[in-house]
Amino acid sequence: MTSKPRHLHPLSMLVNAIQIFWMLAVIIFVDIATDNGGRNAILQDMAHWLVLIILGVIGITLLLVVLPYVMTTYELTDKGVTLNRGVLRRQHLHVTYARIQTVQHLQWFFLKPLGLEKVQIETAARGSGHGEVVLTLVHASVGTEIERRQQAARAAAPGAQTTPVAGMDSDTDIATDNATVASTTYRLPNEDLLIFGITSLGFIPLIFLLLAVWSRVSEWIPGVEDWLANLLMHLPAISIVVLLVVIIGLGVMTEFVRILIRYWGFTLDFDGRRLQSRKGLLQTNTVTATAKRIQAVRYKQNIIRQWLSVGTAQVILASNVASKEDDKDMVIYPLVHQDHVWEQLTRYVSWLPDRIPAVTPVMTGYWALIRNALILPVIAVIPCIIWLRPWGWLSLLLLVWGGLQGRYAATRRGYVTAGRFIYLQTGRWFERELLVSPRDRVQSLTVRQSWWMVRTGLAHVQVSLRRGDGEYEVDLRYVPLAVGEAIYQWYLGDNVVDVATTAP
């Protein structure tokens, strides 16, 4: 592999053109569909508009596709990857192999016969996107060569076998933690994939999106809203219930297909140092990350998966994983039983205890969390009832939704510290999360009180961890002040026993 500057594959121009014109087509279609006058004017003078469209396509192609391709080159030097880009403003982004934290490979199914893929390189650099190098379309051998040189650079680093001071930013953070972990491979069984897709709550945002699209239908098809309202008024109650069940069923099936396509063939390989996940049916997504950059482990369960005693295990890394990973964190087990998750995670994280102590539930601040969850629904309900009657009365369901959310969050809080580990359990959006992190991975720990909380003797505990370009924060809200102070002393290293046994 030479260091001579190279262009991306010529097909990258086609990829960029499709992305640009697809977005423009959607914007233009929505504008025309909602503007009857504009649509009629275009139909009456089609020849004139056709010429303008052709000229616009040529101009956009030259400015946004051809010129950027000509001006973009990359090179693999002995020390790192260099990306040169920009038409009016030139940029030269250089990333050394030793600083590369994660490498992501994205390959659509139609690019596999050509051996082409998109390569995205992430570093631990702070700032929005400043540590990212994206090679839109290159041969698969380029990404493989980058990973090979990255491993060689890390192996040759002077401090590769040393452990730095806790809390410092370094490529060698506790390098010996994973030295005794054996290599292993995990493949998600098909039956687990089916359960994972069926139990996803992602259909709820899809239903809200459908309602938002429906609100525009009346502008596209005049009179359809009145027709539907009249139809619903004359339908029996059982028919309306069946209709709602069908809508929810369509949402569940849509989310199921999305999960199936995204996680098809999920495989996780671990060689004792690097984690590599591979998944995807239409687009193969391969992510490689260094295990020693793991900051914390978390186990998530939505309300359905809690009933089934299963959930998703992820690791939080000190570098960005991928733009399409769930919550920017690397998925280790998409679906795993809660009784076996911690024992199985020790295959990849040697510092993780194979048994998690029972967390101490937080009972204070119950009504405060319900009150907070009702604020936004109340703001939305009042104008709906005033200006959107009679259908606006349905917005009262938002109050029920908000109250249930607040109750769920209030009853899912818990904490415990044991030795050098902290365990925090929180709940929001009908999803419970248990996070485990060693003290030396915690970037900061804050105990804060508002003026109102001073008189109630409560406080919020906020734990911040390094996560990619920013921070990952976990809030344990409305705990007794004595608990917050005990957790803070644990963070300072003055208390290494279970907080639950020392705080009231």
Side-chain angles (χ1 to χ4, degrees):
M1 189 75 63
T2 66
S3 61
K4 180 181 178 180
R6 294 187 174 191
H7 287 285
L8 303 175
H9 195 276
L11 282 180
S12 63
M13 288 190 290
L14 178 60
V15 174
N16 292 334
I18 292 175
Q19 294 176 344
I20 293 172
F21 287 115
W22 170 253
M23 291 187 294
L24 288 176
V26 171
I27 295 173
I28 293 173
F29 172 78
V30 172
D31 183 64
I32 293 177
T34 56
D35 185 1
N36 294 329
R39 182 169 61 250
N40 294 333
I42 291 176
L43 293 175
Q44 291 174 4
D45 197 3
M46 179 62 72
H48 174 69
W49 282 103
L50 187 59
V51 173
L52 291 180
I53 291 174
I54 293 175
L55 292 176
V57 168
I58 295 174
I60 292 174
T61 302
L62 289 174
L63 291 177
L64 301 181
V65 178
V66 177
L67 281 179
Y69 170 79
V70 173
M71 301 299 292
T72 300
T73 61
Y74 71 94
E75 51 187 312
L76 304 185
T77 65
D78 294 335
K79 294 184 178 180
V81 183
T82 301
L83 179 65
N84 310 300
R85 63 188 180 189
V87 178
L88 299 179
R89 182 182 178 184
R90 295 291 291 168
Q91 293 181 337
H92 304 279
L93 182 59
H94 181 77
V95 176
T96 61
Y97 298 117
R99 298 299 299 174
I100 294 176
Q101 302 299 324
T102 59
V103 180
Q104 181 186 12
H105 307 258
L106 295 168
Q107 186 179 54
W108 285 99
F109 66 95
F110 53 84
L111 293 176
K112 287 184 179 180
L114 302 176
L116 301 175
E117 64 181 14
K118 175 182 178 180
V119 177
Q120 181 169 310
I121 300 169
E122 297 286 352
T123 71
R126 301 265 180 180
S128 178
H130 291 295
E132 180 179 286
V133 172
V134 178
L135 305 180
T136 307
L137 200 64
V138 294
H139 284 283
S141 59
V142 174
T144 303
E145 178 66 15
I146 291 174
E147 290 187 348
R148 186 190 67 78
R149 297 192 181 194
Q150 176 204 18
Q151 295 180 54
R154 286 185 174 276
Q161 302 300 323
T162 61
T163 302
V165 178
M168 292 188 64
D169 262 343
S170 171
D171 290 334
T172 58
D173 286 353
I174 312 185
T176 59
D177 268 358
N178 295 86
T180 60
V181 180
S183 59
T184 182
T185 297
Y186 167 77
R187 291 180 176 85
L188 180 66
N190 290 334
E191 55 270 24
D192 288 353
L193 176 59
L194 295 178
I195 297 174
F196 183 58
I198 294 174
T199 58
S200 173
L201 293 181
F203 69 91
I204 296 177
L206 290 176
I207 293 176
F208 280 108
L209 178 62
L210 179 62
L211 294 176
V213 172
W214 174 254
S215 66
R216 306 289 294 180
V217 169
S218 59
E219 300 181 11
W220 303 339
I221 309 176
V224 68
E225 187 174 1
D226 295 335
W227 171 82
L228 180 62
N230 183 62
L231 178 64
L232 292 177
M233 292 291 292
H234 293 84
L235 282 178
I238 186 64
S239 298
I240 297 178
V241 172
V242 171
L243 180 61
L244 292 176
V245 171
V246 170
I247 293 175
I248 294 175
L250 290 175
V252 172
M253 288 303 299
T254 302
E255 174 65 9
F256 172 76
V257 172
R258 188 188 72 86
I259 293 291
L260 198 67
I261 292 175
R262 185 174 178 183
Y263 281 90
W264 181 264
F266 180 91
T267 303
L268 182 71
D269 293 313
F270 183 52
D271 62 4
R273 293 177 177 269
R274 296 186 309 152
L275 292 163
Q276 184 179 77
S277 67
R278 184 182 297 104
K279 63 179 182 289
L281 180 60
L282 300 180
Q283 184 187 53
T284 303
N285 187 346
T286 304
V287 179
T288 303
T290 305
K292 66 185 179 184
R293 302 298 289 178
I294 295 176
Q295 305 297 293
V297 176
R298 68 177 184 179
Y299 185 59
K300 302 193 305 180
Q301 297 173 289
N302 63 36
I303 192 169
I304 299 177
R305 292 169 184 164
Q306 287 179 47
W307 295 335
L308 299 176
S309 299
V310 295
T312 301
Q314 295 176 286
V315 292
I316 298 174
L317 298 173
S319 57
N320 288 328
V321 175
S323 58
K324 293 186 178 181
E325 276 290 298
D326 291 333
D327 304 317
K328 297 184 179 181
D329 300 317
M330 193 170 192
V331 176
I332 303 299
Y333 292 108
L335 194 76
V336 60
H337 198 279
Q338 63 185 21
D339 293 338
H340 310 297
V341 57
W342 305 108
E343 178 183 353
Q344 294 187 34
L345 282 172
T346 55
R347 301 175 182 177
Y348 312 100
V349 188
S350 64
W351 52 256
L352 184 68
D354 57 0
R355 293 184 180 273
I356 302 299
V359 297
T360 302
V362 177
M363 308 303 296
T364 53
Y366 179 89
W367 294 108
L369 284 170
I370 296 178
R371 175 203 63 200
N372 294 346
L374 286 172
I375 293 176
L376 289 180
V378 168
I379 294 175
V381 165
I382 292 176
C384 288
I385 292 178
I386 295 176
W387 290 296
L388 298 178
R389 288 182 291 184
W391 297 103
W393 291 104
L394 293 175
S395 64
L396 291 175
L397 294 174
L398 292 176
L399 298 180
V400 179
W401 177 270
L404 292 175
Q405 288 275 6
R407 183 183 181 280
Y408 184 87
T411 56
R412 296 304 187 278
R413 295 168 298 154
Y415 66 93
V416 69
T417 60
R420 67 188 183 108
F421 295 99
I422 187 169
Y423 308 84
L424 296 175
Q425 180 175 286
T426 56
R428 62 190 303 268
W429 299 111
F430 294 118
E431 184 175 70
R432 181 176 66 185
E433 173 186 315
L434 176 60
L435 180 134
V436 182
S437 179
R439 177 168 42 216
D440 47 23
R441 299 298 206 278
V442 177
Q443 295 293 301
S444 65
L445 191 148
T446 306
V447 180
R448 65 182 189 279
Q449 283 184 303
S450 65
W451 64 271
W452 180 259
M453 294 172 67
V454 172
R455 61 185 297 271
T456 61
L458 301 179
H460 299 323
V461 177
Q462 184 180 78
V463 176
S464 297
L465 303 170
R466 178 77 179 275
R467 183 205 205 184
D469 292 341
E471 293 181 331
Y472 179 76
E473 297 178 346
V474 181
D475 284 317
L476 193 62
R477 302 174 64 80
Y478 297 107
V479 301
L481 180 60
V483 170
E485 292 177 344
I487 294 176
Y488 187 73
Q489 291 302 318
W490 165 87
Y491 176 62
L492 295 179
D494 299 335
N495 179 19
V496 295
V497 297
D498 190 343
V499 171
T501 65
T502 60

